[in-house]
Amino acid sequence: MGLLSNRIERKSLKPGDHIYSWRTAYIYAHHGIYVGDDKVIHFTRRGQEVGTGTVLDILLVSSGPTRSHVPCPTCVPAAEGHGVVSSCLDCFLAGGILYRFEYAVSPALFLAKARGGTCTLAVSDPDDVVIHRAKYLLDNGFGCYNVFKNNCEDFAIYCKTGLLVLDQSTMGQSGQAVSIIGGPLAAVLSTPLRLVTTNVYGMVATAVGVYCASRYAADIGMRMDVVKIPVEDLTRRLATGMLQVLEPSLAALPAPAN
């Protein structure tokens, strides 16, 4: 794996790997856990790779892969009530390129990868533990899909680390979601510089600094609001309502800037 890309060949895959593949125009990446025998366990919104339940889905779904109407005999559809599915590697990639998510990276490497959702400072657990979590969640679910707080990347990171953000009023573990929020946030926070300088390079440097700082502080390996939860305890909390994740509504999404 290099500095600019986590791209790997299939022969390099091993059970327990957190993998992902970018979709059309790099709008988003779909994440999952490779469990061996050409199978990937991943989290969806009731079988759909990504979604918000709002008009934003027009953009997200249009950038997703085109699926065959003929069911794949290898893939296991989502059970009723939850969106964790098992797919063959070909269906998971949907013609895209295979990438491996990196764990325990250095701060310098983390910041060098400007796009979120490719690596983390957190340390991965042993592969057998990762596979156990993924298979257990395939049978028991991972709660309600939420593109900002509980998405496919959150699922894969939990399987790899056992770490979960308990305060559901904040952002989840997903680096992609942090990037989506961090970009506009950096632009907003750097705007006051216009009052003290007209130097566009200084404003850009500040915006980039704010963006990088927000990504670094929000990484699962740096956050203080995470706990390690056994997968059996996680599903018990979800079943009893002790841990709830709600789908985002249109009213809950950030309003566009005027």
Side-chain angles (χ1 to χ4, degrees), residues 22 40 63 79 144 214 221 224 239 248-249:
W22 292 103
V40 183
S63 63
C144 184
S214 67
M224 303 300 292
S249 63

Side-chain angles (χ1 to χ4, degrees), residues 36-75:
D37 297 325
D38 253 8
K39 292 183 174 62
V40 183
I41 296 177
H42 52 114
F43 187 42
T44 66
R45 183 176 182 265
R46 296 189 291 274
Q48 180 178 299
E49 275 191 5
V50 67
T52 64
T54 72
V55 293
L56 290 179
D57 289 353
I58 297 174
L59 172 64
L60 295 173
V61 173
S62 65
S63 63
T66 301
R67 301 292 182 182
S68 170
H69 295 293
V70 180
C72 174
T74 305
C75 300

Side-chain angles (χ1 to χ4, degrees), residues 38-42 74-76 85-92:
D38 253 8
K39 292 183 174 62
V40 183
I41 296 177
H42 52 114
T74 305
C75 300
V76 178
V85 300
S86 174
S87 301
C88 67
L89 184 58
D90 286 332
C91 287
F92 175 83

Side-chain angles (χ1 to χ4, degrees), residues 13-256:
L13 269 179
K14 67 181 188 303
D17 277 348
H18 172 175
I19 61 175
Y20 63 97
S21 183
W22 292 103
R23 299 316 192 205
T24 304
Y26 290 85
I27 290 178
Y28 75 94
H30 192 51
H31 294 244
I33 298 295
Y34 181 70
V35 295
D37 297 325
D38 253 8
K39 292 183 174 62
V40 183
I41 296 177
H42 52 114
F43 187 42
T44 66
R45 183 176 182 265
R46 296 189 291 274
Q48 180 178 299
E49 275 191 5
V50 67
T52 64
T54 72
V55 293
L56 290 179
D57 289 353
I58 297 174
L59 172 64
L60 295 173
V61 173
S62 65
S63 63
T66 301
R67 301 292 182 182
S68 170
H69 295 293
V70 180
C72 174
T74 305
C75 300
V76 178
E80 185 175 355
H82 72 76
V84 182
V85 300
S86 174
S87 301
C88 67
L89 184 58
D90 286 332
C91 287
F92 175 83
L93 294 175
I97 297 172
L98 174 64
Y99 297 86
R100 180 160 51 208
F101 195 97
E102 295 184 60
Y103 284 80
V105 301
S106 67
L109 180 58
F110 179 84
L111 294 174
K113 293 180 180 292
R115 183 72 181 264
T118 62
C119 62
T120 178
L121 301 161
V123 177
S124 171
D125 288 328
D127 292 333
D128 58 331
V129 176
V130 175
I131 295 169
H132 167 69
R133 289 186 185 124
K135 290 183 175 181
Y136 192 90
L137 294 174
L138 176 63
D139 294 332
N140 296 277
F142 190 60
C144 184
Y145 185 97
N146 183 303
V147 71
F148 295 110
K149 299 178 181 179
N150 201 47
N151 58 39
C152 60
E153 186 184 345
D154 292 308
F155 169 83
I157 289 175
Y158 172 75
C159 289
K160 289 288 286 185
T161 66
L163 298 174
L164 200 69
V165 178
L166 283 186
D167 183 0
Q168 291 302 319
S169 65
T170 62
M171 189 67 64
Q173 299 101 294
S174 170
Q176 290 188 93
V178 171
S179 292
I180 292 171
I181 300 299
L185 176 65
V188 169
L189 293 180
S190 62
T191 299
L193 274 180
R194 295 177 184 175
L195 301 176
V196 296
T197 181
T198 57
N199 188 321
V200 66
Y201 298 108
M203 293 177 60
V204 169
T206 300
V208 170
V210 171
Y211 171 72
C212 290
S214 67
R215 278 191 59 228
Y216 186 81
D219 182 72
I220 191 70
M222 292 298 297
R223 294 175 65 156
M224 303 300 292
D225 59 344
V226 298
V227 294
K228 193 144 190 162
I229 301 179
V231 67
E232 295 81 4
D233 189 28
L234 171 63
T235 55
R236 179 184 62 81
R237 293 185 184 211
L238 290 169
T240 59
M242 295 174 62
L243 181 64
Q244 294 183 330
V245 180
L246 301 177
E247 288 193 85
S249 63
L250 183 58
L253 293 176

